Amino acid sequence: MTAATQTHTAHLDYLLRIADTSLILGQRLSEWCGHGPVIEEDIALTNIALDLIGQARLLLTHAGALEGRGRDEDQLAFLRREPEFRNLTIVELPNGDFGRTILRNFLVSAWQRELWQALAKSSDGELAAIAAKSLKETRYHLQHAADWVVRLGDGTEESHKRMQAALDLLWPYTAEFFSPSPTDDVAVATSVGPAWSALQESWVAAVTPVLEVATLKAPARTPFLTRGKFGVHSEHLGHLLTEMQYLQRTYPGGTW
C-alpha cells in the first residue's frame, strides 16, 4: 500500500468513526420517541436524535465522496455490515432507564464538544464546516444532559442510586474515547483532526465538576477497553442494525 493510499484510508476511517458514533447514538435515542418520562423530554431526546442523525448524514455524504466508490449516505448507513461500522461501543449499548440514557448523552456530548472544537480547524474544509455546525448543536446536547445529571444525581435517594449505577456501568466504556490508533497518527500528520487521546484532559475538566455537583463518583480506571472504533463490537450492535437496516435490505434500492 502506498503512502498516499494509507493516508486516504486513514482519512476515511477517521470520518466514519465520527459519523457512525453520531448515527448509532441517534438511532438509540430515537427509541425514546413516545416513551419519554414527560412530554418535554420525549421531544428533547427525539430532537437530539435528529441532530445526531443530521450530523451523520453530512459526514457519511462526505465520506462517500472521499471513498470514491459511488456509495451515498444511505448506502453507507444501511448496507454496511456490523464489522464495517466504526462507532464507539458506548453508543450501541441498550438505553436502560432515563437516567442511564441521560448520563451516556452527557459523557458522549462532552467528548463530542471537544472533538468538534478541534475539527473546526481541520485541513479538510468540508469536515471543518460540518464541525462548526455540529458544535452549536452539541453545546445544547451537553447542557441538557448536564442539567439532568445534576438533577437526578443530587435528587432523591432512588435517583442518586440509579445514576451512580449508570456511571459505574458506563464509565469504563469512556476509555475507548481516548485510546491511541494509527488512524489518529495520520489525522494529526495531515492536520485533518486531533488525536483523540489529546482530548482527554479537556474532557475530564468538563465532566468532573458536573459529577461532583451531582454527588456522583467516577469509578477507578481498569484495563477494560472496548474496540468499537476498530470494528469490534458488542453483541448489541447486530440487533440494532437488524432493525435500522430492515427496510433497505428487504426492499433494496427502494425510494419514497
Side-chain angles (χ1 to χ4, degrees):
M1 184 182 294
T2 66
T5 300
Q6 288 178 328
T7 298
H8 180 271
T9 300
H11 190 169
L12 178 61
D13 188 60
Y14 195 86
L15 288 174
L16 289 176
R17 288 181 177 188
I18 307 167
D20 290 347
T21 295
S22 290
L23 176 64
I24 300 303
L25 182 56
Q27 176 69 15
R28 274 292 183 224
L29 291 181
S30 74
E31 296 172 6
W32 275 101
C33 186
H35 299 279
V38 292
I39 192 168
E40 291 86 354
E41 290 311 308
D42 192 299
I43 294 170
L45 290 176
T46 302
N47 281 333
I48 292 170
L50 288 171
D51 284 344
L52 289 164
I53 292 171
Q55 294 168 11
R57 289 188 63 189
L58 293 172
L59 289 163
L60 289 175
T61 296
H62 183 37
L66 179 68
E67 183 186 44
R69 293 173 52 191
R71 295 198 290 181
D72 61 14
E73 61 182 88
D74 290 330
Q75 290 169 311
L76 287 171
F78 298 126
L79 297 180
R80 281 184 296 154
R81 299 186 182 277
E82 183 179 341
E84 297 176 90
F85 276 79
R86 293 293 182 265
N87 57 279
L88 294 168
T89 306
I90 192 173
V91 300
E92 68 197 42
L93 301 179
N95 288 324
D97 61 20
F98 178 72
R100 187 194 299 179
T101 295
I102 285 294
L103 184 61
R104 176 172 59 188
N105 282 2
F106 171 64
L107 297 173
V108 174
S109 295
W111 167 79
Q112 286 178 319
R113 185 185 66 175
E114 301 309 314
L115 180 60
W116 293 133
Q117 286 178 165
L119 289 176
K121 303 174 185 177
S122 174
S123 62
D124 178 339
E126 183 69 18
L127 178 56
I130 295 169
K133 176 184 182 297
S134 301
L135 178 59
K136 298 175 184 178
E137 298 167 342
T138 300
R139 284 172 175 156
Y140 164 73
H141 302 169
L142 178 57
Q143 185 61 58
H144 174 266
D147 288 347
W148 270 106
V149 168
V150 171
R151 185 175 178 180
L152 295 172
D154 194 33
T156 66
E157 181 180 351
E158 177 67 18
S159 69
H160 174 81
K161 177 182 176 182
R162 291 191 180 209
M163 291 300 284
Q164 185 61 58
L167 185 60
D168 292 343
L169 172 70
L170 295 173
W171 187 259
Y173 289 90
T174 64
E176 187 183 350
F177 295 177
F178 313 110
S179 60
S181 74
T183 290
D184 284 4
D185 296 339
V186 176
V188 171
T190 56
S191 299
V192 167
W196 290 7
S197 59
L199 305 175
Q200 185 167 11
E201 184 176 349
S202 56
W203 178 82
V204 170
V207 166
T208 301
V210 175
L211 295 180
E212 289 177 350
V213 174
T215 67
L216 299 173
K217 184 177 180 181
R221 289 292 184 189
T222 70
F224 179 81
L225 181 62
T226 50
R227 294 174 59 82
K229 65 185 182 183
F230 294 100
V232 181
H233 297 282
S234 71
E235 67 273 21
H236 305 294
L237 183 62
H239 297 291
L240 182 150
L241 292 180
T242 297
E243 181 174 343
M244 189 181 86
Q245 298 179 335
Y246 171 80
L247 191 62
Q248 182 58 237
R249 291 189 178 277
T250 303
Y251 303 100
T255 58
W256 292 98

